[in-house]
Amino acid sequence: MKQSKTTELMVGMLIAAGLAALFVLAMKVSNLSSYSAKSSYTVIARFENVGGLKVRSPVMAGGVLVGRVAGIDYDSDRYEAVVTMEMDQSYDRFPDDTVASIYTAGLLGEQYVALDPGGSEDFLVDGSEIEFTASALVLEKLVGKFLLNSAESGNQ
Amino acid sequence: MLDWIRGLGRGGFRFFETLGRANLFALKTLVGVPAVLVRPRLLVAQLYSVGVLSLPIIILSGVFVGMVLALQGYNTLVDFGAEESLGVVVALSIVRELGPVVTGLLFAGRAGSALTAEIGLMKATEQLAGMEMMAVDPIHRVIAPRFLAGFISMPLLAAIFSALGIYGGYFVGVGLLGVDEGAYWSQMQSKVDLYDDVYNGVIKSVVFGLVVTWIAVFEGYDTVPTSEGVSRSTTRTVVYSAFAVLGLDFVLTALMFGA
Amino acid sequence: MAAGFRIMRQRFSWTVSKNKMQRSAETAGPAASETLVKIRDLHFARGDRVIFDGVDLDIPRGRLTAIMGPSGTGKTTLLRLIGGQLTPDRGSIEVDGLPVQELGRKALYELRRRMGMLFQSGALLTDLNVFDNVAFPLREHTDLPEAMIRDLVLMKLQAVGLRGARDLQPSELSGGMARRVALARAIALDPMMIMYDEPFTGQDPISMGALVQLIRLLNDALGLTSIIVSHDVQETAAISDYVYVISQGKVIGQGTPEALGKTDSALVKQFMQGLPDGPVPFHYPARDYMEDLLNA
């Protein structure tokens, strides 16, 4: 039952290599590095329509990732979607009149929440609600509106 | 015709009987697992023969699969001017599918067949019966460490395969074909999700590891104790494992990404 | 080898003398001494093939009992039944007063520690060398310090004359050496009995002679009870105290080797003397020869 040192060494190397590979997959390949376990604070925003927004969609300000969508619920009393966002603690100076809009990255890309800071002196804190929101654009509605407009202009 | 139906019935019975035995066997093995943890030396020896010895084939295959994917992906993507997405294509196909599946198949061929042959030979040469007569439960002493080693090795091997595959793709895509290095990684990072993709890929590899090792040790333990029986069991291990990996991959993919 | 025997003889001299005293006090026949293994009305079938059809056996303590019979009479099966690896369809098997088949797993394993079994192939663990093979049961069942295990293993290896072969791998051993190593392993835990499964098959005359001597010597020196299953009539009869002959699922003859040699039973006679034809026909059952040839 003698166990050679090389056997133990090789097994140790296998385990180390496997864990290192998992680490690479987590840090370098996936998006873990971009949101990892930094401390965060939560804000919510209500939208009429969130379109294709998903949990873990990015929250951007000026094109920079500042947080992620943590949850999407529907408020049956107010008939609105409630989006919970986890914001990176290092970006904690958003004015409380910030506008949250849902945009699409690129023509067919995924949707994200964009924050446009307002001018208030008070900042959003954990549990705050963003009051000014702009819903996602729904393609069918846009096309419908466009057709209506062109029909109206054609009538004139 | 009647004979044919009867044969079908008999085959069905035998199938369920084997399945039942395999389940009982798995149960006994699981009972034996804690005993192995108390004696890590047994486990280390098996991790060596199951894991370390499978490493070369996994490393080589991982790198080459990544390189081929990059080459093929590039040729398709460049038509749409989307070669920047090469990283995403390579990473997603490897992390979600090819990593666990190809590793599972290679693992069945390399480690699974070796496990079956080894255990089958131990049975054929009365080593298992001998242990029993020495009041040592072969399931605890022989099967459980091998089972546990397979269960531990497979996810590690799959992770190594995936990471190397992505670097193989990087080598071909960035190094040879001139895709922008920043785009390769950043696109990958923005599209590959830790939970949806990496985590699910790891779960797949864990499941495949369990099933392949289970099939391998059961086929070895259940073998007809002759040289012909052992060689048949070894073949069966590889065939059943391949079926199980591919079939389960479909089921798991449907569960994870389907809804 | 001879030196090994001598040392062992000295070491166990008290056992030997006790054993000799016992033997001189008793007359031949199993009824006279205490029974270690008691088999009653044993029935066992594999599929449709009946292997035992009402077998009664008594293995006396401290003796060397042989169980002989033609190939395929389930002699190995009998040992496995005694070891509790198989369960009979009917009948009872008692070892040292314990009903083997009714024992729970723990009690059965407890009992097996007191049994040694020598398999036909030796059944050495191929991934361990000779030393570790003999140490295997000690390491599995005791918490002895490594130094003491080393001493014990070397003692056992010395007893079978293979102390010098301790670093060899099983694949480097000849068949006879492998069996001797297996024997050292079987006695590692100082069992009360050893079962030998065809110990003489396929041995050259020298290793056969060594084994024959060793089995007898160990039995007497260690005060063991030995059961030999074999169809090597001459060698087995030469060393055994009592012989059972089994054929077609039944005990067809029993007695001391000398008594069996003079038996009237044609079947036992054919077997003991190795006659090609007799109650067990030379020809496989077939149609009449002439008829078969002419009806081409």
Side-chain angles (χ1 to χ4, degrees):
Chain A
M1 190 114 29
K2 255 173 274 167
Q3 202 147 67
S4 68
K5 291 271 178 286
T6 37
T7 307
E8 280 168 6
L9 190 72
M10 299 289 262
V11 171
M13 274 161 59
L14 167 76
I15 294 176
L19 293 180
L22 276 174
F23 185 74
V24 164
L25 290 181
M27 298 305 293
K28 182 124 195 183
V29 175
S30 82
N31 45 13
L32 175 70
S33 53
S34 53
Y35 77 106
S36 64
K38 287 177 215 156
S39 59
S40 61
Y41 64 103
T42 311
V43 297
I44 62 166
R46 293 167 187 279
F47 296 91
E48 259 175 55
N49 191 321
V50 294
L53 197 70
K54 293 192 183 70
V55 173
R56 302 205 18 74
S57 289
V59 178
M60 314 270 239
V64 176
L65 187 80
V66 294
R68 288 205 177 259
V69 172
I72 300 173
D73 298 296
Y74 190 67
D75 181 344
S76 329
D77 295 330
R78 293 171 62 171
Y79 307 113
E80 280 173 336
V82 182
V83 173
T84 314
M85 290 170 275
E86 268 188 6
M87 307 292 294
D88 191 328
Q89 192 68 56
S90 48
Y91 307 112
D92 61 347
R93 296 169 71 82
F94 283 102
D96 64 359
D97 58 349
T98 292
V99 179
S101 332
I102 297 176
Y103 289 148
T104 308
L107 191 57
L108 299 168
E110 60 179 330
Q111 294 193 293
Y112 65 95
V113 178
L115 300 181
D116 296 310
S120 170
E121 309 255 303
D122 298 318
F123 298 123
L124 292 172
V125 292
D126 191 44
S128 300
E129 179 177 341
I130 298 176
E131 284 173 37
F132 307 104
T133 62
S135 287
L137 291 177
V138 177
L139 201 60
E140 289 89 330
K141 278 191 184 171
L142 275 183
V143 173
K145 227 180 237 176
F146 173 74
L147 288 177
L148 203 67
N149 281 346
S150 50
E152 276 172 2
S153 56
N155 280 347
Q156 280 165 5
Chain B
M1 182 65 189
L2 218 58
D3 275 359
W4 187 78
I5 293 176
R6 235 186 61 200
L8 203 66
R10 209 170 32 223
F13 271 126
R14 207 167 323 147
F15 173 75
F16 282 112
E17 198 236 328
T18 311
L19 200 68
R21 258 185 303 146
N23 278 312
L24 274 178
F25 172 79
L27 219 68
K28 280 193 218 161
T29 308
L30 289 181
V31 171
V33 164
V36 178
L37 296 175
V38 183
R39 296 170 61 184
R41 284 170 150 273
L42 291 177
L43 183 61
V44 170
Q46 290 313 317
L47 276 175
Y48 179 79
S49 61
V50 171
V52 175
L53 294 183
S54 307
L55 210 46
I57 191 176
I58 295 292
I59 290 176
L60 265 171
S61 315
V63 172
F64 278 109
V65 165
M67 284 163 62
V68 168
L69 268 180
L71 210 55
Q72 292 280 17
Y74 181 83
N75 285 339
T76 313
L77 288 171
V78 80
D79 290 345
F80 303 98
E83 66 269 24
E84 313 263 279
S85 302
L86 186 63
V88 184
V89 171
V90 171
L92 279 187
S93 10
I94 288 187
V95 170
R96 281 186 174 185
E97 287 299 329
L98 292 174
V101 170
V102 176
T103 310
L105 295 176
L106 292 173
F107 186 72
R110 175 65 186 80
S113 61
L115 278 177
T116 306
E118 191 191 10
I119 296 171
L121 274 176
M122 287 183 85
K123 186 177 182 187
T125 53
E126 297 177 310
Q127 292 182 49
L128 296 184
M131 268 189 202
E132 249 177 63
M133 284 308 296
M134 284 187 280
V136 176
D137 191 332
I139 290 191
H140 289 188
R141 182 64 173 63
V142 175
I143 307 293
R146 284 166 172 76
F147 182 75
L148 199 58
F151 173 65
I152 294 173
S153 303
M154 175 63 199
L156 295 176
L157 292 172
I160 292 171
F161 182 98
S162 298
L164 287 174
I166 287 163
Y167 276 99
Y170 170 83
F171 172 69
V172 168
V174 177
L176 300 183
L177 298 172
V179 174
D180 180 61
E181 171 168 5
Y184 186 85
W185 291 116
S186 69
Q187 289 257 359
M188 191 189 293
Q189 283 179 7
S190 70
K191 283 283 161 37
V192 179
D193 189 86
L194 180 70
Y195 286 98
D196 281 350
D197 303 318
V198 177
Y199 186 61
N200 279 340
V202 171
I203 288 185
K204 274 187 183 181
S205 66
V206 170
V207 172
F208 295 163
L210 261 178
V211 171
V212 170
T213 325
W214 179 30
I215 291 175
V217 292
F218 176 70
E219 282 297 336
Y221 191 75
D222 202 48
T223 193
V224 179
T226 59
S227 31
E228 196 200 358
V230 174
S231 79
R232 272 196 195 164
S233 298
T234 311
T235 312
R236 266 208 303 272
T237 293
V238 176
V239 174
Y240 290 176
S241 297
F243 273 139
V245 165
L246 295 172
L248 276 173
D249 183 51
F250 177 75
V251 174
L252 288 175
T253 306
L255 285 178
M256 288 168 176
F257 307 108
Chain C
M1 178 99 196
F5 281 159
R6 225 171 13 250
I7 290 169
M8 207 169 61
R9 248 177 236 235
Q10 282 159 6
R11 178 162 293 142
F12 297 109
S13 54
W14 60 275
T15 332
V16 176
S17 56
K18 197 175 79 181
N19 208 281
K20 270 184 189 151
M21 267 159 48
Q22 243 174 20
R23 194 179 307 179
S24 55
E26 293 157 0
T27 46
S33 69
E34 200 196 335
T35 307
L36 184 66
V37 181
K38 192 165 154 188
I39 298 176
R40 288 289 173 271
D41 191 33
L42 179 69
H43 286 75
F44 184 79
R46 266 223 173 105
D48 296 333
R49 210 161 72 86
V50 176
I51 295 178
F52 295 118
D53 188 15
V55 167
D56 295 325
L57 278 178
D58 286 297
I59 311 288
R61 202 184 281 273
R63 297 304 189 76
L64 213 157
T65 306
I67 295 166
M68 299 202 262
S71 303
T73 43
K75 300 185 296 292
T76 306
T77 309
L78 184 67
L79 294 187
R80 296 204 160 188
L81 283 163
I82 295 174
Q85 284 187 323
L86 298 171
T87 311
D89 300 332
R90 189 144 63 83
S92 70
I93 299 172
E94 274 181 26
V95 176
D96 202 21
L98 299 168
V100 176
Q101 267 64 39
E102 289 157 33
L103 292 179
R105 192 190 130 86
K106 201 159 171 260
L108 180 64
Y109 271 50
E110 206 64 41
L111 177 66
R112 280 187 191 161
R113 285 194 206 183
R114 298 194 285 142
M115 297 179 178
M117 178 146 172
L118 191 70
F119 284 86
Q120 198 167 344
S121 56
L124 295 177
L125 303 175
T126 35
D127 52 344
L128 302 179
N129 67 15
V130 166
F131 183 95
D132 290 330
N133 257 294
V134 180
F136 180 82
L138 294 166
R139 287 183 177 143
E140 289 290 325
H141 293 307
T142 67
D143 293 321
L144 295 175
E146 197 55 31
M148 194 176 285
I149 287 185
R150 194 186 119 89
D151 288 351
L152 280 170
V153 170
L154 292 185
M155 275 166 63
K156 307 296 177 189
L157 280 175
Q158 174 73 12
V160 298
L162 289 176
R163 190 165 45 84
R166 73 185 100 157
D167 292 325
L168 296 183
Q169 292 295 321
S171 53
E172 298 170 279
L173 301 174
S174 71
M177 281 160 83
R179 263 175 234 190
R180 273 150 66 190
V181 173
L183 188 51
R185 184 177 69 178
I187 58 172
L189 285 175
D190 292 317
M192 59 178 179
M193 63 184 275
I194 298 194
M195 298 186 275
Y196 300 89
D197 185 6
E198 300 284 4
F200 309 123
T201 317
Q203 299 296 309
D204 65 70
I206 300 176
S207 49
M208 174 110 83
L211 269 171
V212 167
Q213 245 196 89
L214 202 53
I215 290 173
R216 181 75 241 182
L217 199 75
L218 283 176
N219 186 74
D220 297 346
L222 301 178
L224 291 169
T225 302
S226 307
I227 305 174
I228 300 183
V229 148
S230 178
H231 50 228
D232 292 292
V233 176
Q234 302 309 325
E235 291 76 19
T236 313
I239 54 168
S240 46
D241 298 314
Y242 202 78
V243 177
Y244 283 94
V245 181
I246 297 184
S247 180
Q248 286 159 4
K250 292 193 190 305
V251 175
I252 56 166
Q254 56 175 297
T256 58
E258 299 81 43
L260 273 185
K262 296 174 209 134
T263 179
D264 304 330
S265 157
L267 195 55
V268 176
K269 204 170 186 173
Q270 185 195 359
F271 180 73
M272 294 298 284
Q273 299 176 4
L275 306 174
D277 209 353
V280 178
F282 173 71
H283 290 289
Y284 193 83
R287 287 201 282 173
D288 182 69
Y289 187 38
M290 286 312 286
E291 202 182 309
D292 218 359
L293 283 179
L294 295 173
N295 279 354

